Amino acid sequence: MNFLLQKEGLVNFISLLDLRLKLETLRLREREMAHTGSNSSMHRSSSRPQLDLSKAEIQGNFEEKYPTILLPNQSHDISHLALDIGGSLIKLVYFSRHQDQSTYDKRVKNVKNRLGFPPNGNRRSYPILGGRLHFVKFETSKINECLDFISSKQLHSAGGESRYSDARTDSNAIIKATGGGAHKFADLFKERLGLSLDKEDEMSCLVAGANFLLKAIRHEAFTHMEGQKEFVQIDTNDLFPYLLVNIGSGVSMIKVDGDGKYERVSGTNVGGGTYWGLGRLLTKCESFDELLELSQKGDNSNTDMLVGDIYGGMDYSKIGLSASTIASSFGKATSEKKGLEDYRPEDISLSLLRMISYNIAQIAYLNALRFGLKRIFFGGFFIRGHAYTMDAISFAIHFWSNGAAQAMFLRHEGFLGALGAFMSYEKHGLDDLMVHQLVERFPMGAPYTGGKIHGPPLRDLNEKISWMEKFLQKVTEITAPVPMAPPGTTGLGGFEVPLSKGSTLRSDASALNVGVLHLVPTLEVFPLLADLKMYEPNTIDLSDHSELEYWFKILSEHLPDLVDKAVASEGGTDDAKRRGDAFARAFSAHLARLMEEPAAYGKLGLARLLEMREECLREFHFFDAYISIKQRENEASLAVLPDLLMELDSMDEETRLLTLIEGVLAANIFDWGSRACVDLYHKGTIIEIYRMSRNKMQRPWRVDDFDAFKQRMLGTGDKKPPPHRRALLFVDNAGADIVLGMLPLARELLRRGTEVVLVANSLPALNDVTAMELPDIVAEAAKHCDILRRAAESGGLLVDAMTNTLDSPRENSSSVPLMVVENGCGSPCIDLRQVSSELAAAAKDADLIILEGMGRALHTNLNARFQCDALKLAMVKNQRLAEKLIKGNIYDCICKYEPAN
């Protein structure tokens, strides 16, 4: 191996030897594993990849205690495919690695060292790379489509999902599978793909999958009554015991007492297979989902005998039965002289659905009663998130329990077995993941899991856009997250279209979508939240339909301007215009989908909605739509910064502190996400707008806790309070907001002896400044300010940026440091349940938090409480928001100070 030695001396030589010894030790362990593996008594799949250490080398700075070791020939890091092959459906879970693994530069390493954050801080003893879990299903009768999908995505190759056709296929590959079909179709998988199926116990997989989902996915469980979906937050410390009712072709009822602790206590042969089998015979439907679709237009009173039919339209109130209660499913067929052709298929489908759902629910409740279980979870692909099915089950549970029990459902309902099979791989890493390390996203063209359709194997962005354009040429509606094919297409890449919908295409009747789970092991919970269980980031309640309509209208109106900025950021090329058009249609499809069913992607909040817009931009390769605008505004603001600092230094400390807070609020006016602020840009330069904004700063503000904050900072009389140890400043926009607002405030804190950590986005969002951009901005500002220069040097920000700008070399400063950390997100808002490990480490010694801007201090976190002092600063740039949250007007200001809890 060749190493670039950055320092000389014996210490470095010894460090180099030590790292080489560590690498050689890994090689020896691998040889031992290869030698002893065949004799091991443990039952582990040989599909678990072995380490390929050929051409291995240390990556990055070899002086680190726990350096990254690059394995260039290692095909993948965790097993990537598992199947649940049932009698009706095949469920597939597969893993793909992130292609954008972050590499930390010298700035990040210096910050972590300064924070006392070890390179292997809170990580596991074995590496788990970030990646994605995908979910997709196929009808078992169309198993060849499943095989084609696996082949087209190269999931059976040694390299996992690949965009290249020459990916290596391991002729001895073994993948995990469960369900009866794992035995029935084993020879077919071997013949077509060269894959051997390692059969896992079905019940064990169901329980493992359910336990993982209930513990790791925040909005996994929900209730469904009378068409209303409500997500339930499960306390993982109070999860067990529960009853798991898995409705596949048949039904199994499992009492779960803990991880790996379960007992099948009951079941029934009347399940999804019964519904589909009888339905197919009676209605001639050609798919399970077509049968479900029919039920939505059915009237079961035409086929079922109701209590009212027996009692002349009256209730049987003495025993609590209403006239509409079903007395006998299909009972009317016994008293009417009609043949099968005289009954509507829609009515037959609904009667079947209710008959089977009611009976399963009754048996489930009786078993819960038998064992004293307070939670009943229903899963399996019979449910499909189908509203009528869930309502029928919920109604039956409510009826038989007299309202004492509730039916709960799982968003990943059909994938319990497949997910459990995936987890049976050794060191898959999923069982150690926490809820804050999983992020669900809904890219256009992702494999779809609700019922009728599955995503085609789109290999790159160009294929995705071409695919979308084909629908547009046929004037066919695109519905997120996956466009469906026009009528008449079949096979892989084609979709069955519900007959009852004609030419209007929508996604599944279930109104339930399952996205792609992103595994991000570096995310952590912000440690300074006062009460994690009580924390709700969103201030706006989007369950209010009028609120939802308003924000959808705002986002839709902003879309053309955003597309223009995005296309311009890529040079305005034809390719950029094509991608911009695709982005606009894709995001519009998401909005339409959520307008139809707000809970389709899980619990919806404004933060999630804004984040979805940024994710959609990145999906179509617009990584920083406002980059040129940010650069221009940074330059203009930096040009006037010296005069501002000189003006501040001429003031007494009380006047200066007020002026600084006024400056932050005034500078926060610059927000390209606000229509009112965008209009201001046409009325003057940013410096003119900033001065106008400052001149209008008159107290009292709408929320005005400045005096309390001043008391904590300056004290009274001769009683001077100690400075804060460390302040976390959550910054907002580029340009005047950061340069003329937050940087001068940071400078004041540094002057008082407080360490300052600027917390910025990991990824661009609108005109928000990012952690990657901040060091250059600080370096430019530091040219005109010794306080900033010394603090930036101490914090490691000027290692490279200042090398050629200082008149003479200087000694390392003993000044309190100014540092920059990324927050772990790429949205105008922030959910503090998922932040970067850097930020979590920085919070360790912090005793002051300053949240700035509408996104971080108003849309989210206005009501958040912390274990330390917190100051929330924002200018309200939306009239509806001002009226709703602070009973004020647009451009009113918030200065909310909350001492430590």
Short mmCIF file of all heavy atoms in Angstrom, two decimals, residues 436-477:
data_model
loop_
_atom_site.label_atom_id
_atom_site.label_comp_id
_atom_site.label_asym_id
_atom_site.label_seq_id
_atom_site.Cartn_x
_atom_site.Cartn_y
_atom_site.Cartn_z
N HIS A 436 -35.08 6.49 14.90
CA HIS A 436 -34.52 7.72 14.35
C HIS A 436 -33.51 7.46 13.24
O HIS A 436 -33.02 8.41 12.62
CB HIS A 436 -33.86 8.55 15.46
CG HIS A 436 -32.81 7.82 16.23
ND1 HIS A 436 -33.10 7.14 17.40
CD2 HIS A 436 -31.50 7.65 16.01
CE1 HIS A 436 -31.99 6.60 17.86
NE2 HIS A 436 -31.02 6.88 17.04
N GLN A 437 -33.16 6.21 12.98
CA GLN A 437 -32.18 5.89 11.94
C GLN A 437 -32.82 5.42 10.65
O GLN A 437 -32.13 5.00 9.73
CB GLN A 437 -31.21 4.83 12.46
CG GLN A 437 -30.37 5.32 13.63
CD GLN A 437 -29.58 4.22 14.30
OE1 GLN A 437 -30.05 3.10 14.46
NE2 GLN A 437 -28.35 4.53 14.69
N LEU A 438 -34.13 5.51 10.57
CA LEU A 438 -34.85 5.09 9.37
C LEU A 438 -35.64 6.25 8.81
O LEU A 438 -36.37 6.93 9.53
CB LEU A 438 -35.79 3.93 9.69
CG LEU A 438 -35.08 2.60 9.99
CD1 LEU A 438 -36.02 1.66 10.74
CD2 LEU A 438 -34.61 1.94 8.71
N VAL A 439 -35.48 6.50 7.53
CA VAL A 439 -36.18 7.58 6.85
C VAL A 439 -36.90 6.98 5.65
O VAL A 439 -36.28 6.31 4.82
CB VAL A 439 -35.21 8.68 6.36
CG1 VAL A 439 -35.97 9.79 5.67
CG2 VAL A 439 -34.39 9.23 7.53
N GLU A 440 -38.22 7.20 5.57
CA GLU A 440 -38.99 6.64 4.45
C GLU A 440 -39.17 7.71 3.39
O GLU A 440 -39.58 8.84 3.68
CB GLU A 440 -40.35 6.14 4.93
CG GLU A 440 -41.09 5.36 3.87
CD GLU A 440 -42.36 4.70 4.41
OE1 GLU A 440 -42.86 5.16 5.46
OE2 GLU A 440 -42.83 3.75 3.79
N ARG A 441 -38.89 7.35 2.15
CA ARG A 441 -39.03 8.28 1.03
C ARG A 441 -39.83 7.63 -0.09
O ARG A 441 -39.89 6.41 -0.19
CB ARG A 441 -37.66 8.73 0.53
CG ARG A 441 -36.90 9.52 1.59
CD ARG A 441 -35.62 10.13 1.07
NE ARG A 441 -35.00 10.94 2.10
CZ ARG A 441 -33.75 10.80 2.51
NH1 ARG A 441 -32.98 9.87 1.98
NH2 ARG A 441 -33.26 11.58 3.45
N PHE A 442 -40.40 8.47 -0.94
CA PHE A 442 -41.32 7.97 -1.96
C PHE A 442 -40.92 8.48 -3.34
O PHE A 442 -41.57 9.35 -3.91
CB PHE A 442 -42.75 8.42 -1.63
CG PHE A 442 -43.25 7.87 -0.34
CD1 PHE A 442 -42.99 8.50 0.86
CD2 PHE A 442 -43.97 6.70 -0.31
CE1 PHE A 442 -43.44 8.00 2.07
CE2 PHE A 442 -44.43 6.17 0.88
CZ PHE A 442 -44.16 6.81 2.07
N PRO A 443 -39.84 7.94 -3.89
CA PRO A 443 -39.42 8.38 -5.22
C PRO A 443 -40.39 7.92 -6.30
O PRO A 443 -41.02 6.87 -6.17
CB PRO A 443 -38.05 7.72 -5.39
CG PRO A 443 -38.11 6.52 -4.51
CD PRO A 443 -38.96 6.92 -3.33
N MET A 444 -40.54 8.71 -7.34
CA MET A 444 -41.36 8.32 -8.47
C MET A 444 -40.73 7.09 -9.12
O MET A 444 -39.54 7.07 -9.40
CB MET A 444 -41.43 9.46 -9.48
CG MET A 444 -42.38 9.22 -10.64
SD MET A 444 -44.10 9.15 -10.12
CE MET A 444 -44.38 10.80 -9.50
N GLY A 445 -41.55 6.08 -9.35
CA GLY A 445 -41.02 4.88 -9.99
C GLY A 445 -40.48 3.87 -9.02
O GLY A 445 -39.91 2.87 -9.43
N ALA A 446 -40.64 4.10 -7.71
CA ALA A 446 -40.20 3.10 -6.75
C ALA A 446 -41.11 1.89 -6.83
O ALA A 446 -42.27 2.01 -7.21
CB ALA A 446 -40.26 3.68 -5.33
N PRO A 447 -40.61 0.71 -6.51
CA PRO A 447 -41.49 -0.46 -6.50
C PRO A 447 -42.70 -0.20 -5.61
O PRO A 447 -42.57 0.28 -4.49
CB PRO A 447 -40.60 -1.57 -5.92
CG PRO A 447 -39.23 -1.15 -6.28
CD PRO A 447 -39.23 0.35 -6.18
N TYR A 448 -43.85 -0.52 -6.11
CA TYR A 448 -45.09 -0.21 -5.43
C TYR A 448 -45.63 -1.44 -4.73
O TYR A 448 -45.46 -2.54 -5.21
CB TYR A 448 -46.09 0.30 -6.47
CG TYR A 448 -47.36 0.81 -5.88
CD1 TYR A 448 -47.42 2.06 -5.31
CD2 TYR A 448 -48.49 0.01 -5.87
CE1 TYR A 448 -48.58 2.53 -4.77
CE2 TYR A 448 -49.66 0.48 -5.31
CZ TYR A 448 -49.71 1.74 -4.76
OH TYR A 448 -50.85 2.20 -4.21
N THR A 449 -46.29 -1.24 -3.61
CA THR A 449 -46.63 -2.39 -2.79
C THR A 449 -48.08 -2.46 -2.35
O THR A 449 -48.43 -3.33 -1.60
CB THR A 449 -45.76 -2.39 -1.53
OG1 THR A 449 -46.05 -1.20 -0.79
CG2 THR A 449 -44.30 -2.42 -1.86
N GLY A 450 -48.90 -1.56 -2.80
CA GLY A 450 -50.24 -1.53 -2.25
C GLY A 450 -51.17 -2.59 -2.79
O GLY A 450 -52.03 -3.07 -2.10
N GLY A 451 -51.07 -2.99 -4.02
CA GLY A 451 -51.98 -3.99 -4.51
C GLY A 451 -51.86 -4.31 -5.97
O GLY A 451 -51.40 -5.39 -6.35
N LYS A 452 -52.22 -3.40 -6.85
CA LYS A 452 -52.38 -3.75 -8.25
C LYS A 452 -51.09 -3.80 -9.04
O LYS A 452 -50.98 -4.53 -10.01
CB LYS A 452 -53.31 -2.73 -8.92
CG LYS A 452 -54.74 -2.82 -8.48
CD LYS A 452 -55.59 -1.84 -9.24
CE LYS A 452 -55.30 -0.42 -8.83
NZ LYS A 452 -55.67 -0.10 -7.46
N ILE A 453 -50.13 -2.99 -8.68
CA ILE A 453 -49.03 -2.76 -9.60
C ILE A 453 -47.69 -2.89 -8.90
O ILE A 453 -47.60 -2.90 -7.68
CB ILE A 453 -49.13 -1.34 -10.21
CG1 ILE A 453 -49.14 -0.29 -9.08
CG2 ILE A 453 -50.36 -1.21 -11.05
CD1 ILE A 453 -49.17 1.11 -9.56
N HIS A 454 -46.66 -3.03 -9.67
CA HIS A 454 -45.31 -2.97 -9.14
C HIS A 454 -44.48 -2.13 -10.10
O HIS A 454 -44.79 -2.02 -11.29
CB HIS A 454 -44.70 -4.37 -8.99
CG HIS A 454 -44.63 -5.15 -10.26
ND1 HIS A 454 -43.68 -4.91 -11.22
CD2 HIS A 454 -45.42 -6.14 -10.74
CE1 HIS A 454 -43.87 -5.74 -12.23
NE2 HIS A 454 -44.92 -6.49 -11.97
N GLY A 455 -43.43 -1.55 -9.60
CA GLY A 455 -42.61 -0.67 -10.41
C GLY A 455 -41.73 -1.44 -11.37
O GLY A 455 -41.24 -2.51 -11.04
N PRO A 456 -41.54 -0.92 -12.55
CA PRO A 456 -40.63 -1.55 -13.49
C PRO A 456 -39.19 -1.30 -13.05
O PRO A 456 -38.93 -0.41 -12.25
CB PRO A 456 -40.92 -0.83 -14.82
CG PRO A 456 -41.40 0.51 -14.40
CD PRO A 456 -42.15 0.31 -13.11
N PRO A 457 -38.25 -2.04 -13.60
CA PRO A 457 -36.85 -1.90 -13.18
C PRO A 457 -36.18 -0.70 -13.83
O PRO A 457 -35.38 -0.85 -14.75
CB PRO A 457 -36.22 -3.22 -13.64
CG PRO A 457 -37.04 -3.61 -14.83
CD PRO A 457 -38.44 -3.15 -14.54
N LEU A 458 -36.53 0.49 -13.37
CA LEU A 458 -35.92 1.70 -13.93
C LEU A 458 -34.46 1.75 -13.48
O LEU A 458 -34.17 1.74 -12.30
CB LEU A 458 -36.66 2.94 -13.44
CG LEU A 458 -38.16 2.96 -13.77
CD1 LEU A 458 -38.80 4.18 -13.16
CD2 LEU A 458 -38.39 2.91 -15.27
N ARG A 459 -33.54 1.85 -14.44
CA ARG A 459 -32.12 1.75 -14.11
C ARG A 459 -31.47 3.11 -13.89
O ARG A 459 -30.45 3.20 -13.23
CB ARG A 459 -31.38 0.99 -15.22
CG ARG A 459 -31.82 -0.45 -15.33
CD ARG A 459 -31.21 -1.10 -16.58
NE ARG A 459 -31.72 -2.46 -16.73
CZ ARG A 459 -31.14 -3.53 -16.23
NH1 ARG A 459 -30.04 -3.40 -15.52
NH2 ARG A 459 -31.65 -4.72 -16.40
N ASP A 460 -32.01 4.16 -14.50
CA ASP A 460 -31.40 5.47 -14.32
C ASP A 460 -32.45 6.55 -14.52
O ASP A 460 -33.61 6.27 -14.84
CB ASP A 460 -30.21 5.66 -15.28
CG ASP A 460 -30.59 5.45 -16.74
OD1 ASP A 460 -31.75 5.76 -17.11
OD2 ASP A 460 -29.75 4.97 -17.51
N LEU A 461 -32.03 7.79 -14.32
CA LEU A 461 -32.96 8.91 -14.39
C LEU A 461 -33.55 9.07 -15.79
O LEU A 461 -34.73 9.37 -15.94
CB LEU A 461 -32.25 10.20 -13.96
CG LEU A 461 -33.12 11.47 -13.97
CD1 LEU A 461 -34.28 11.33 -13.00
CD2 LEU A 461 -32.27 12.68 -13.62
N ASN A 462 -32.76 8.86 -16.80
CA ASN A 462 -33.25 9.02 -18.17
C ASN A 462 -34.39 8.05 -18.46
O ASN A 462 -35.39 8.42 -19.08
CB ASN A 462 -32.11 8.81 -19.17
CG ASN A 462 -32.54 9.13 -20.59
OD1 ASN A 462 -32.97 10.24 -20.88
ND2 ASN A 462 -32.43 8.14 -21.47
N GLU A 463 -34.25 6.81 -17.99
CA GLU A 463 -35.32 5.83 -18.17
C GLU A 463 -36.58 6.28 -17.44
O GLU A 463 -37.69 6.11 -17.94
CB GLU A 463 -34.87 4.46 -17.67
CG GLU A 463 -33.96 3.72 -18.63
CD GLU A 463 -33.75 2.28 -18.19
OE1 GLU A 463 -34.56 1.77 -17.39
OE2 GLU A 463 -32.77 1.67 -18.64
N LYS A 464 -36.40 6.82 -16.24
CA LYS A 464 -37.54 7.26 -15.46
C LYS A 464 -38.29 8.38 -16.18
O LYS A 464 -39.53 8.35 -16.27
CB LYS A 464 -37.08 7.74 -14.08
CG LYS A 464 -38.20 8.21 -13.18
CD LYS A 464 -37.67 8.70 -11.84
CE LYS A 464 -37.08 7.57 -11.03
NZ LYS A 464 -36.75 8.01 -9.65
N ILE A 465 -37.55 9.36 -16.70
CA ILE A 465 -38.20 10.48 -17.38
C ILE A 465 -38.86 10.01 -18.67
O ILE A 465 -39.99 10.41 -18.99
CB ILE A 465 -37.16 11.59 -17.67
CG1 ILE A 465 -36.66 12.18 -16.34
CG2 ILE A 465 -37.78 12.69 -18.52
CD1 ILE A 465 -35.55 13.19 -16.50
N SER A 466 -38.18 9.14 -19.42
CA SER A 466 -38.77 8.60 -20.65
C SER A 466 -40.07 7.86 -20.34
O SER A 466 -41.06 7.95 -21.08
CB SER A 466 -37.79 7.66 -21.34
OG SER A 466 -36.62 8.35 -21.73
N TRP A 467 -40.05 7.11 -19.27
CA TRP A 467 -41.22 6.35 -18.84
C TRP A 467 -42.38 7.29 -18.54
O TRP A 467 -43.51 7.07 -18.96
CB TRP A 467 -40.81 5.54 -17.61
CG TRP A 467 -41.85 4.65 -17.02
CD1 TRP A 467 -42.67 3.78 -17.67
CD2 TRP A 467 -42.18 4.55 -15.64
NE1 TRP A 467 -43.47 3.13 -16.78
CE2 TRP A 467 -43.20 3.59 -15.53
CE3 TRP A 467 -41.69 5.17 -14.49
CZ2 TRP A 467 -43.75 3.22 -14.31
CZ3 TRP A 467 -42.24 4.80 -13.27
CH2 TRP A 467 -43.25 3.84 -13.19
N MET A 468 -42.08 8.39 -17.83
CA MET A 468 -43.13 9.35 -17.51
C MET A 468 -43.65 10.03 -18.76
O MET A 468 -44.86 10.25 -18.91
CB MET A 468 -42.58 10.40 -16.53
CG MET A 468 -42.24 9.85 -15.16
SD MET A 468 -41.43 11.08 -14.11
CE MET A 468 -42.75 12.28 -13.93
N GLU A 469 -42.77 10.36 -19.69
CA GLU A 469 -43.18 11.06 -20.90
C GLU A 469 -44.12 10.24 -21.76
O GLU A 469 -44.98 10.78 -22.45
CB GLU A 469 -41.94 11.48 -21.69
CG GLU A 469 -41.17 12.60 -21.03
CD GLU A 469 -39.84 12.89 -21.70
OE1 GLU A 469 -39.35 12.02 -22.46
OE2 GLU A 469 -39.28 13.98 -21.46
N LYS A 470 -43.97 8.92 -21.71
CA LYS A 470 -44.86 8.06 -22.49
C LYS A 470 -46.30 8.21 -22.01
O LYS A 470 -47.25 8.18 -22.80
CB LYS A 470 -44.43 6.60 -22.36
CG LYS A 470 -43.14 6.28 -23.10
CD LYS A 470 -42.73 4.84 -22.88
CE LYS A 470 -41.40 4.55 -23.57
NZ LYS A 470 -40.94 3.16 -23.31
N PHE A 471 -46.48 8.39 -20.73
CA PHE A 471 -47.82 8.57 -20.20
C PHE A 471 -48.38 9.92 -20.62
O PHE A 471 -49.55 10.04 -20.97
CB PHE A 471 -47.80 8.47 -18.67
CG PHE A 471 -47.48 7.10 -18.19
CD1 PHE A 471 -46.20 6.74 -17.85
CD2 PHE A 471 -48.48 6.14 -18.08
CE1 PHE A 471 -45.90 5.47 -17.42
CE2 PHE A 471 -48.19 4.87 -17.65
CZ PHE A 471 -46.89 4.52 -17.31
N LEU A 472 -47.53 10.94 -20.61
CA LEU A 472 -47.99 12.28 -20.94
C LEU A 472 -48.39 12.37 -22.40
O LEU A 472 -49.33 13.06 -22.76
CB LEU A 472 -46.89 13.30 -20.64
CG LEU A 472 -46.44 13.33 -19.17
CD1 LEU A 472 -45.31 14.33 -19.00
CD2 LEU A 472 -47.60 13.68 -18.27
N GLN A 473 -47.67 11.66 -23.27
CA GLN A 473 -47.99 11.66 -24.70
C GLN A 473 -49.36 11.06 -24.96
O GLN A 473 -50.04 11.39 -25.92
CB GLN A 473 -46.92 10.90 -25.48
CG GLN A 473 -45.58 11.62 -25.54
CD GLN A 473 -44.47 10.71 -26.06
OE1 GLN A 473 -44.71 9.58 -26.46
NE2 GLN A 473 -43.25 11.24 -26.07
N LYS A 474 -49.78 10.15 -24.06
CA LYS A 474 -51.08 9.49 -24.20
C LYS A 474 -52.15 10.22 -23.38
O LYS A 474 -53.26 9.70 -23.20
CB LYS A 474 -50.97 8.03 -23.75
CG LYS A 474 -50.06 7.19 -24.63
CD LYS A 474 -49.95 5.77 -24.09
CE LYS A 474 -49.01 4.94 -24.95
NZ LYS A 474 -49.57 4.70 -26.30
N VAL A 475 -51.79 11.41 -22.84
CA VAL A 475 -52.69 12.21 -22.02
C VAL A 475 -53.25 11.36 -20.89
O VAL A 475 -54.44 11.31 -20.62
CB VAL A 475 -53.84 12.81 -22.87
CG1 VAL A 475 -54.53 13.93 -22.11
CG2 VAL A 475 -53.33 13.33 -24.20
N THR A 476 -52.36 10.63 -20.24
CA THR A 476 -52.75 9.76 -19.14
C THR A 476 -52.30 10.37 -17.83
O THR A 476 -51.18 10.86 -17.73
CB THR A 476 -52.11 8.37 -19.32
OG1 THR A 476 -52.50 7.85 -20.59
CG2 THR A 476 -52.57 7.42 -18.22
N GLU A 477 -53.16 10.31 -16.83
CA GLU A 477 -52.83 10.89 -15.53
C GLU A 477 -51.70 10.11 -14.85
O GLU A 477 -51.66 8.89 -14.90
CB GLU A 477 -54.06 10.85 -14.63
CG GLU A 477 -53.83 11.38 -13.23
CD GLU A 477 -55.05 11.20 -12.35
OE1 GLU A 477 -56.13 10.94 -12.91
OE2 GLU A 477 -54.92 11.33 -11.13
#
